[in-house]
Amino acid sequence: MTDVAFQSSIHPGNEHCYGLDEVLTACPETGDLLDIQYDWDKVPVPSSMREFEARWGNRHNPLDFSGVWRFRELLPFAPEDKIVTIGEGQTILQQSDHVGKFVGLNPGQLHLQYEGLNPSGSFKDNGMTAASTHAHMVGAKFAACASTGNTSASLAIYAGTTGLFRVIVFVGSGKIAYGKLSQALDYGAVTLQIQGDFDDALKQVRDVCREAGIYLCNSVNPFRLEGQKSIMYRVLEGLQWEVPDWIVVPGGNLGNSSAFGKAFIELKQLGLIDRIPRLAVINAGGANTLYQLFEHDGLRWNDGNPDQALIKKFYDQMDAENRRANTLASAIEINRPVNLTKCLRALDACDGVVREVCDAEILDAKARVGAGGFGCEPASGASVAGAKLLRQQGIIAPSDRVVCILTGHQLKDPTATVNYHAGKDGEKFVPEFRNAPIVVENDFTKIMDVIHQIG
Ligand code: F0G
């Protein structure tokens, strides 16, 4: 396998390559982010995506059951006996006219990709199965990550379920939704609450992993993004292998958007799709680094040479003003997205756009999703709110086929949901789809009075 896959810098002119046995999160020569690349001539890639359907009938094989590894020829970096899978990727693409109407699309055009149905309740499992596989390949005994909550829950479940390694997770104090914190604790991860936010926790965990030789599972780990490509394979599968017009995804550390871009670049290169959908990355207004840099400052991939001085100036100013990310969508409360340049490549390949939406828009969209079934956590609502905004701006047409990625399960952050419906964020905004609990005395007649008032 090792001659098929290798690690290399994302910088197109940079020829430095590294073997799969190396544990790296940046190019040692240049500091650039790394990709996993393949010598596709040596991989038995099917001639059509439809050929993957044959694996549906072979679900007793854990690799064919997995929604990630049944596409294994598209991420061929691991020997089969090293693959670590816990049944991730059993997610669905659901057409929703209920949400489509809210967004402003014609009937039949809005689809929701429910990644909250993964074992740990978020899309992260798609990436963590791949990172865990690589950790297993290199014999790691300890793994760590910084997290706004879902990465830590995901890493903890892989360690807990397989017993292959121990896990240390770094989270910001008071910054993590309870559902997610409870998962890390219950799955047995050593949990460090850093007195700071996600950006602080990530900086610390990177230094700690380097110093202590611990395997790092944040999305700077290029193997993780290989797994996250599979979300796009399943979207295509859900659309019977037709390419949608738009993929809309919330942006935090920008791993997902980067992985989606790589997936489509490769599928096009392999001749498995004939066109690439457009990509919309949606920031929360309180954590909008990508939006500011891409839409205001005009930062672009620029053939692999993004304007580093512009990025540095932005961060220097952010530090000078001590600007901290701040949003109720705590999963994406991130001001220093580590995959920024990779995401620029994805935006370039997918003719992408970036938008910001405020917390009220995010939570209203989340409530619309919930009222249509399944539900999602706040950050996921950003994709629907972003699609609505792009529709209002005329960038998405009513006839476009749009897929919004719902990244995390509704039960991840019950506090946000209850506060919204109970109107507890009242001083910040008025919830448009409020469904408050009705307080009633423990008295049959009074309860019946309430029942009679229900329209
Ligand atoms: N949605 C959810 C539910 C998330 O948990 C995250 C990221 C994102 C969206 C953003 O995805 O980073 O790929 O742009 N959560 C990370 C974590 C940062 O630590 O769980 P991204």
Side-chain angles (χ1 to χ4, degrees):
M1 268 296 166
T2 42
D3 57 339
V4 168
F6 53 94
Q7 309 188 63
S8 82
S9 156
I10 61 165
H11 193 284
N14 186 332
E15 300 300 322
H16 300 289
C17 294
Y18 307 93
L20 298 184
D21 53 340
E22 296 203 49
V23 178
L24 301 168
T25 51
C27 174
E29 301 287 331
T30 63
D32 290 329
L33 291 166
L34 290 169
D35 264 336
I36 307 304
Q37 296 201 357
Y38 305 99
D39 183 348
W40 291 112
D41 291 338
K42 295 184 182 159
V43 183
V45 180
S47 57
S48 130
M49 291 297 274
R50 269 183 203 287
E51 288 181 35
F52 287 110
E53 292 178 7
R55 294 204 164 130
W56 293 346
N58 202 25
R59 290 167 73 82
H60 59 272
N61 174 357
L63 299 192
D64 289 342
F65 179 77
S66 167
V68 176
W69 298 104
R70 62 193 163 82
F71 298 104
R72 51 193 173 277
E73 287 79 2
L74 299 175
L75 54 150
F77 69 82
E80 294 200 355
D81 63 338
K82 290 287 181 194
I83 290 178
V84 178
T85 171
I86 62 167
E88 57 287 320
Q90 309 304 315
T91 63
I92 59 163
L93 183 80
Q94 188 194 54
Q95 191 217 302
S96 173
D97 284 346
H98 170 81
V99 178
K101 193 169 172 212
F102 171 73
V103 169
L105 290 174
N106 293 345
Q109 296 308 81
L110 192 275
H111 294 75
L112 301 171
Q113 176 69 16
Y114 278 99
E115 288 302 311
L117 299 178
N118 272 291
S120 81
S122 86
F123 75 91
K124 302 284 179 181
D125 297 349
N126 294 288
M128 212 51 80
T129 181
S132 300
T133 295
H134 185 244
H136 188 35
M137 285 165 65
V138 298
K141 292 284 168 274
F142 280 89
C145 69
S147 183
T148 55
N150 281 327
T151 304
S152 46
S154 183
L155 178 56
I157 202 175
Y158 275 86
T161 307
T162 64
L164 285 171
F165 39 80
R166 291 200 62 201
V167 159
I168 308 164
V169 303
F170 289 53
V171 299
S173 286
K175 292 288 186 180
I176 174 170
Y178 252 51
K180 307 176 188 181
L181 179 59
S182 71
Q183 287 181 288
L185 300 177
D186 224 25
Y187 299 141
V190 176
T191 304
L192 302 188
Q193 279 196 299
I194 306 296
Q195 288 171 346
D197 60 15
F198 172 82
D199 294 313
D200 298 320
L202 184 57
K203 183 183 177 312
Q204 295 293 355
V205 77
R206 291 185 84 160
D207 292 347
V208 167
C209 284
R210 202 174 304 120
E211 178 72 19
I214 295 174
Y215 189 90
L216 181 64
C217 287
N218 281 101
S219 52
V220 283
N221 177 329
F223 292 92
R224 250 196 58 190
L225 300 195
E226 289 306 290
Q228 287 173 215
K229 293 188 308 189
S230 69
I231 302 171
M232 291 302 101
Y233 308 151
R234 296 197 300 277
V235 163
L236 294 176
E237 186 178 54
L239 295 172
Q240 295 182 39
W241 311 112
E242 284 180 16
V243 178
D245 297 305
W246 286 92
I247 301 288
V248 190
V249 64
N253 230 357
L254 305 179
N256 247 354
S257 42
S258 299
F260 297 175
K262 187 169 188 282
F264 288 121
I265 292 168
E266 289 172 349
L267 290 180
K268 184 87 192 332
Q269 187 192 340
L270 292 167
L272 292 169
I273 53 173
D274 53 9
R275 69 184 178 93
I276 291 179
R278 294 191 71 185
L279 179 69
V281 184
I282 313 299
N283 274 164
N288 64 357
T289 297
L290 179 68
Y291 174 72
Q292 290 288 350
L293 282 170
F294 188 82
E295 296 291 345
H296 281 224
D297 298 347
L299 180 69
R300 290 294 181 272
W301 171 241
N302 192 25
D303 295 327
N305 295 297
D307 185 344
Q308 296 293 346
L310 192 65
I311 300 173
K312 182 172 181 313
K313 189 170 151 232
F314 182 87
Y315 284 141
D316 284 350
Q317 191 167 349
M318 199 167 76
D319 288 342
E321 293 169 11
N322 196 22
R323 253 188 290 140
R324 292 281 166 177
N326 183 12
T327 166
L328 289 173
S330 59
I332 52 175
E333 196 177 53
I334 296 170
N335 256 355
R336 289 179 179 274
V338 290
N339 290 300
L340 177 66
T341 46
K342 259 189 196 175
C343 177
L344 293 174
R345 179 177 68 181
L347 289 163
D348 181 68
C350 302
D351 190 15
V353 297
V354 183
R355 290 293 179 272
E356 62 170 351
V357 286
C358 68
D359 283 356
E361 291 166 320
I362 288 174
L363 290 169
D364 283 339
K366 172 187 154 356
R368 277 295 81 187
V369 173
F374 286 113
C376 64
E377 67 165 282
S380 315
S383 60
V384 173
K388 183 177 165 74
L389 176 64
L390 288 163
R391 187 46 222 103
Q392 281 164 351
Q393 293 175 339
I395 295 168
I396 292 181
S399 57
D400 282 350
R401 191 187 247 190
V402 178
V403 177
C404 292
I405 311 300
L406 299 182
T407 45
H409 198 281
Q410 185 195 34
L411 297 177
K412 287 281 190 177
D413 191 353
T415 317
T417 305
V418 174
N419 283 352
Y420 174 88
H421 288 295
K424 284 197 186 151
D425 298 311
E427 74 286 358
K428 293 188 202 136
F429 58 88
V430 180
E432 198 180 334
F433 304 110
R434 189 174 169 193
N435 182 25
I438 302 164
V439 180
V440 53
E441 279 176 48
N442 183 15
D443 177 288
F444 179 75
T445 315
K446 297 225 164 99
I447 293 172
M448 282 311 295
D449 286 348
V450 174
I451 302 287
H452 286 133
Q453 281 166 31
I454 299 170

